[in-house]
Amino acid sequence: MVRPVSPGFVLWVGWVGLVWTATGPPFRDWNLPKAHLERSWGHRDACWGHEPDCSQSMGLDEIQCQPEYSHFHKRPAKSVFDDQSGFGYLRKMRSSVRPLCRSAGHPASSNLNCSDQLTFCQGRNLMIDFRPIMDIGRTLRYDMDVLKEGGIHGRCTLNRLFLQEHSNLMSPLQSWAPEVRYFQTDKVFFNGTDSRMCDVYVERPTILMKLDATVNMYHHFCDFFNLYLSLHLNGSDRMSPEAFSTDINILIWENIDYHSSFRPTFQAFTQHPLLDLRSFGAQRVCFRKLMLPALPRLIFGLYYNTPIIQGCRNSALFRAFSEFILHRLRIPERVETDSRQLRVTLLSRLTKHRRIINQEQLVAALNRETGYHVEVAYFTHKNPFEQQLRTIHSTDILIGLHGAGLTHMFFLPPWATVFELYNCEDAGCYQDLTHLCGLNYITWTNRTALFPQSEDPNLDSEHKGQPKFNNYAFDPLEFVRKVNEAGQLMIRKSVMLSLNPGKCLASTLSPKIDPVQEKLLEERCILVDENDRKIGSDSKRNCHTLDDRGQSPLHRAFSLFIFNENNEILMQQRSDDKITFPGLWTNTCCSHPLAVPEEQDVSNEAIGVRRAAQRRVLSELGILPEHCPIEKMVYLTRILYSAPSQCGQWGENELDYILFLKAKTLKFEPNPNEVKEVMFMKANQLDDFIQDRPNLTPWFALLARSFLPKWWAGVETIEQFKDHTSIHKFPSKS
Ligand SMILES: *[C@@H]1O[C@H](CO)[C@@H](O)[C@H](O)[C@H]1NC(C)=O
Ligand SMILES: *[C@@H]1O[C@H](CO)[C@@H](O)[C@H](O)[C@H]1NC(C)=O
Ligand SMILES: *[C@@H]1O[C@H](CO)[C@@H](O)[C@H](O)[C@H]1NC(C)=O
Ligand SMILES: *[C@@H]1O[C@H](CO)[C@@H](O)[C@H](O)[C@H]1NC(C)=O
């Protein structure tokens, strides 16, 4: 979730690294631990979530689980998800790190600490003998015998049992066992003092990396992701600004040149040139500080085939990684959606298989719709990676066929939707990644509107008949429908994030306004000034239409909360046909008094507004006037509130009367044109409700976080909260 920068931040500039760049203003490195946390969480005591002393409420947890999946084997689903994919994963890993080779306490002696199965190690004063490596004539990649007996040395006490018991994961991209098994202990010092043991002495902390496939974004980002999380395990003080320092070496465990169009990503980690197995020649190199980071293909690791439980999404670790890369590579930050159009990026694959045959036709169909800005992206080495990130980070809807290019989703803004055009019958992979990243996801489901090209005759038998080795055409009508669906999801998410969703696509997204709702637009609402003085009237349509400045005229409204005998609030989910805020959950009934004499009268405890409420409760929920008596409705106070809806063509700018009603008898029959679903909510469910349900109306979300808890607690003596003089002003963005 995007959170505002807390204004108090300037006071904490001391924590933020300032680097002067030749071309621009100083670069503030928000990624230094304290700064990142403070910025994304808003308070100084925040922690990541993997530290032993970090409680859930202090951590970065942003996990959302659907209520129906709230538990898994009696454990809260959130904590299962966190252990699988969030900072909880790091907590487990961190807690298993222990000395494999223990130092004698002397500052010049060595040590090596490792996690279970030697998936991560960190140590100091260690020597690697590169002499035999130079003699190996062949290419070293995914190799398990780069080091031989005595290839790595230290002066410390080796825990042989630990080494033995944790050396069975003999796989190059899962464990450091293939290297560490050759650990040899000696009596000499390896801190550079003894020239008999060290030909070269490296003071700068060094990270060794065994890489996955560097041409494939999905795989190569498994490397970067695990590198990032390893920095969190850096044994030093977690809040030390140096924990994420770029003054480090990265040594790639290969003896061939590193090539990858994703190379710029390394700049997020190191300011120095990349090293490899040949960099030191045939020498014995002593490292002051050495890290063997978490590896890219661990089973149940991150994020290669991460298991994730159903119904949960949004790992704070994934979000932190995304922010880390974007910020370190200085991709301009985006905190708002575009003001006019939804930006669609269609990934075009230049490969032999899995191409979109009628891509031009699809793009043309989308361009005929209003409200979309479509860009076809050819992400090749000719298009620098930083440029690709800029494009992606300003994308609202990312479309692509199943393929590694979808890994770009890491860098979408948090409200974006991923549309995997066709998953080629590999349903889990990118859908899971989308859920880890906390984004919306849709994919093609209509088989009759999908046209596989008859297969490539030259295809070998092994690949024949495999959906991934085919090309596809898509029905343009269905394509546009799906993009509209993606747009709807994106807009709802941006409302949930309280962002300005920009200009409306109502004409695109709901081409036909529901006739009943259309009719209601002709009703006249009461225009007022900020002091609630009536200044005129206008149609409901005009009252909710944004002008060029994104403003709609201020008008009078009400927000009614009906409580039952048990003090539960009757909540409604607005129908999908509503023009403003369709499908969102909100309090019992929200609407407008009309510009007619009976409803304009605000004397006598706003009698006119209460009459309007009675009228609407009947038409929306079928609650009879005798069950909603005007004299029992309590007018509490007024709030001023504005928010755009649906991409900003329609919006709210209301002076809202808050009404409470404690109902004796409550019978209702919701009108499906207005209300999709209803439920009763208990006071102690409020927190979970606003946490778990992304689809809340912005005014309900605001009230739920401000006045509502207090009012609710005192609902039996609600009169005490009456305040008919103030008009509380809510910002349009939280
Ligand atoms: C290595 O340790 C010895 C003994 O503590 C110390 O005298 C020497 O300065 C250290 N060398 C380096 C390069 O730190
Ligand atoms: C390894 O762990 C020991 C104690 O468990 C600690 O004193 C030492 O600093 C750690 N070494 C590194 C390099 O983190
Ligand atoms: C880990 O933290 C230390 C500060 O204690 C820092 O010097 C070092 O650069 C960090 N990174 C690595 C890879 O050791
Ligand atoms: C699938 O697409 C076809 C062609 O556009 C359309 O006629 C049909 O209604 C769609 N089916 C479903 C279930 O949406």
Side-chain angles (χ1 to χ4, degrees):
M1 183 166 324
V2 174
R3 296 199 184 80
V5 178
S6 74
F9 197 80
V10 278
L11 301 173
W12 291 90
V13 150
W15 280 104
V16 180
L18 289 182
V19 180
W20 190 264
T21 58
T23 48
F27 167 67
R28 252 183 204 186
D29 194 345
W30 299 112
N31 290 307
L32 301 180
K34 189 90 181 171
H36 186 132
L37 285 169
E38 171 141 348
R39 177 160 176 268
S40 33
W41 207 224
H43 60 87
R44 345 182 332 211
D45 305 321
C47 42
W48 300 102
H50 61 79
E51 308 91 328
D53 56 347
C54 179
S55 74
Q56 185 101 16
S57 61
M58 303 302 282
L60 275 177
D61 171 24
E62 297 182 338
I63 299 163
Q64 289 147 7
C65 299
Q66 289 163 20
E68 55 273 37
Y69 296 107
S70 66
H71 283 78
F72 182 78
H73 289 299
K74 299 204 175 142
R75 281 185 68 196
K78 275 189 181 184
S79 87
V80 177
F81 184 80
D82 192 40
D83 284 353
Q84 291 173 328
S85 72
F87 281 104
Y89 179 90
L90 279 178
R91 196 184 313 120
K92 277 193 308 188
M93 200 154 174
R94 169 186 281 274
S95 69
S96 85
V97 175
R98 57 195 185 280
L100 176 70
C101 201
R102 193 185 291 275
S103 117
H106 195 287
S109 61
S110 319
N111 69 25
L112 184 64
N113 300 336
C114 293
S115 64
D116 283 349
Q117 300 303 335
L118 315 182
T119 53
F120 168 90
C121 298
Q122 194 175 24
R124 63 177 158 87
N125 296 328
L126 299 169
M127 185 267 267
I128 292 180
D129 190 350
F130 286 90
R131 291 172 308 183
I133 299 172
M134 284 305 117
D135 299 335
I136 305 177
R138 68 200 149 82
T139 296
L140 297 175
R141 165 172 265 192
Y142 312 134
D143 244 275
M144 291 205 285
D145 51 1
V146 175
L147 294 188
K148 297 282 184 309
E149 200 60 53
I152 175 166
H153 291 245
R155 181 197 156 111
C156 46
T157 315
L158 186 65
N159 182 341
R160 293 196 184 276
L161 191 64
F162 180 9
L163 186 58
Q164 232 167 42
E165 286 179 347
H166 290 266
S167 285
N168 38 29
L169 207 54
M170 275 300 158
S171 163
L173 297 185
Q174 298 188 1
S175 167
W176 289 96
E179 290 72 30
V180 170
R181 63 182 154 157
Y182 294 127
F183 199 92
Q184 186 175 317
T185 59
D186 302 86
K187 291 263 176 281
V188 288
F189 287 114
F190 294 94
N191 74 336
T193 310
D194 195 328
S195 59
R196 286 171 306 159
M197 297 311 293
C198 305
D199 300 316
V200 184
Y201 179 68
V202 180
E203 182 74 41
R204 193 180 286 147
T206 302
I207 301 182
L208 307 185
M209 280 188 82
K210 297 194 283 188
L211 298 182
D212 203 334
T214 57
V215 291
N216 176 302
M217 187 174 183
Y218 185 85
H219 289 293
H220 203 8
F221 269 76
C222 289
D223 297 316
F224 295 123
F225 191 87
N226 283 283
L227 180 58
Y228 172 69
L229 70 87
S230 300
L231 293 182
H232 280 280
L233 298 178
N234 189 350
S236 51
D237 171 11
R238 63 181 157 87
M239 286 302 169
S240 146
E242 278 115 57
F244 291 68
S245 166
T246 56
D247 188 11
I248 58 161
N249 292 320
I250 290 182
L251 189 155
I252 294 174
W253 204 244
E254 292 175 2
N255 62 356
I256 45 175
D257 290 342
Y258 167 78
H259 289 292
S260 173
S261 44
F262 309 110
R263 175 188 270 268
T265 314
F266 273 114
Q267 289 163 22
F269 297 93
T270 179
Q271 71 207 56
H272 302 292
L274 297 176
L275 308 176
D276 64 35
L277 287 171
R278 303 162 304 178
S279 302
F280 296 107
Q283 302 198 85
R284 293 162 307 169
V285 183
C286 291
F287 295 95
R288 161 77 83 196
K289 208 162 177 211
L290 195 65
M291 183 188 280
L292 312 179
L295 288 157
R297 285 224 189 179
L298 200 61
I299 299 166
F300 304 135
L302 285 178
Y303 61 88
Y304 179 74
N305 286 344
T306 307
I308 60 173
I309 64 164
Q310 218 176 348
C312 296
R313 52 169 64 193
N314 211 7
S315 152
L317 178 57
F318 277 70
R319 187 49 55 198
F321 170 69
S322 162
E323 286 170 5
F324 175 85
I325 300 291
L326 287 169
H327 193 68
R328 285 257 164 116
L329 298 186
R330 306 184 193 189
I331 306 303
E333 187 173 24
R334 223 180 139 213
V335 291
E336 294 223 2
T337 55
D338 210 283
S339 60
R340 311 228 149 243
Q341 289 173 310
L342 295 197
R343 300 174 69 98
V344 177
T345 301
L346 180 85
L347 297 175
S348 181
R349 289 168 58 90
L350 295 169
T351 47
K352 194 144 175 263
H353 301 117
R354 253 182 289 154
R355 279 182 296 110
I356 308 166
I357 300 163
N358 63 336
Q359 180 174 299
E360 278 174 29
Q361 192 189 15
L362 299 184
V363 171
L366 207 50
N367 275 328
R368 278 194 295 274
E369 304 285 310
T370 51
Y372 293 114
H373 173 86
V374 188
E375 183 171 337
V376 178
Y378 299 93
F379 287 161
T380 64
H381 61 279
K382 291 197 196 105
N383 190 331
F385 186 59
E386 291 96 326
Q387 185 54 47
Q388 298 180 17
L389 291 185
R390 267 184 215 108
T391 305
I392 291 297
H393 199 49
S394 57
T395 294
D396 298 312
I397 302 173
L398 178 65
I399 306 177
L401 267 172
H402 182 86
L406 285 174
T407 311
H408 277 288
M409 75 169 79
F410 265 121
F411 307 108
L412 287 168
W415 55 80
T417 302
V418 174
F419 175 15
E420 183 171 11
L421 190 49
Y422 180 49
N423 64 21
C424 299
E425 296 176 23
D426 180 355
C429 180
Y430 293 101
Q431 179 169 26
D432 285 355
L433 189 55
T434 320
H435 287 164
L436 292 168
C437 295
L439 303 165
N440 294 309
Y441 173 89
I442 62 168
T443 189
W444 197 272
T445 47
N446 186 335
R447 287 304 195 102
T448 56
L450 172 73
F451 310 99
Q453 188 189 46
S454 46
E455 260 174 28
D456 179 356
N458 300 324
L459 206 58
D460 51 36
S461 56
E462 189 195 340
H463 295 133
K464 264 207 165 56
Q466 286 194 22
K468 289 186 187 172
F469 289 85
N470 217 336
N471 298 319
Y472 298 91
F474 298 84
D475 176 66
L477 269 179
E478 178 69 7
F479 175 73
V480 169
R481 267 198 297 276
K482 291 300 277 191
V483 178
N484 288 342
E485 186 188 333
Q488 289 279 9
L489 286 170
M490 176 255 145
I491 288 160
R492 279 183 198 178
K493 184 85 185 283
S494 71
V495 168
M496 163 201 155
L497 296 171
S498 300
L499 296 164
N500 180 347
K503 259 277 158 73
C504 192
L505 302 172
S507 53
T508 320
L509 298 172
S510 45
K512 252 178 59 229
I513 293 180
D514 179 80
V516 180
Q517 293 293 330
E518 172 104 65
K519 188 101 193 25
L520 290 174
L521 286 177
E522 303 317 317
E523 289 179 347
R524 296 191 77 77
C525 55
I526 304 162
L527 300 181
V528 292
D529 66 12
E530 295 217 341
N531 298 313
D532 198 19
R533 278 188 296 254
K534 184 181 171 208
I535 53 174
S537 72
D538 207 337
S539 69
K540 241 172 97 178
R541 176 189 297 278
N542 289 342
C543 284
H544 293 98
T545 302
L546 302 187
D547 63 17
D548 291 342
R549 291 168 307 135
Q551 294 272 309
S552 59
L554 183 64
H555 56 274
R556 201 175 277 160
F558 68 84
S559 213
L560 171 67
F561 292 74
I562 297 187
F563 295 80
N564 65 8
E565 290 279 78
N566 305 323
N567 290 339
E568 296 164 346
I569 298 181
L570 178 59
M571 300 287 296
Q572 68 151 290
Q573 185 179 22
R574 295 162 71 89
S575 93
D576 291 333
D577 294 328
K578 296 292 281 186
I579 288 158
T580 53
F581 308 102
L584 303 190
W585 279 94
T586 194
N587 50 295
T588 320
C589 179
C590 309
S591 187
H592 312 89
L594 300 180
V596 294
E598 315 83 85
E599 295 192 3
Q600 256 164 229
D601 183 1
V602 287
S603 68
N604 189 9
E605 309 251 327
I607 181 79
V609 180
R610 289 185 287 145
R611 284 186 188 123
Q614 195 185 49
R615 171 177 57 81
R616 287 301 296 171
V617 156
L618 175 62
S619 81
E620 290 185 19
L621 295 157
I623 298 177
L624 297 172
E626 57 260 42
H627 294 151
C628 181
I630 285 172
E631 62 282 5
K632 286 273 154 43
M633 267 186 237
V634 179
Y635 155 38
L636 276 189
T637 189
R638 289 169 292 179
I639 63 168
L640 247 183
Y641 160 75
S642 75
S645 164
Q646 283 222 340
C647 271
Q649 179 178 332
W650 306 104
E652 286 294 11
N653 186 15
E654 299 187 330
L655 199 145
D656 213 4
Y657 282 68
I658 307 295
L659 308 175
F660 267 40
L661 172 74
K662 185 86 196 283
K664 273 214 148 51
T665 327
L666 206 46
K667 287 204 194 112
F668 46 83
E669 194 180 327
N671 168 358
N673 196 271
E674 295 281 350
V675 177
K676 195 170 174 181
E677 224 184 290
V678 292
M679 64 169 277
F680 281 106
M681 174 166 58
K682 293 190 189 20
N684 63 10
Q685 293 172 328
L686 180 63
D687 280 348
D688 283 346
F689 192 87
I690 49 184
Q691 283 249 323
D692 295 340
R693 246 168 260 249
N695 52 342
L696 300 178
T697 60
W699 65 86
F700 180 75
L702 286 171
L703 281 171
R705 292 194 179 99
S706 51
F707 295 111
L708 184 58
K710 188 177 72 178
W711 290 338
W712 204 340
V715 68
E716 296 290 355
T717 51
I718 195 66
E719 305 268 330
Q720 61 174 310
F721 300 119
K722 266 193 194 171
D723 172 5
H724 294 177
T725 44
S726 315
I727 299 178
H728 307 279
K729 200 164 178 174
F730 275 115
S732 58
K733 290 181 199 118
S734 67

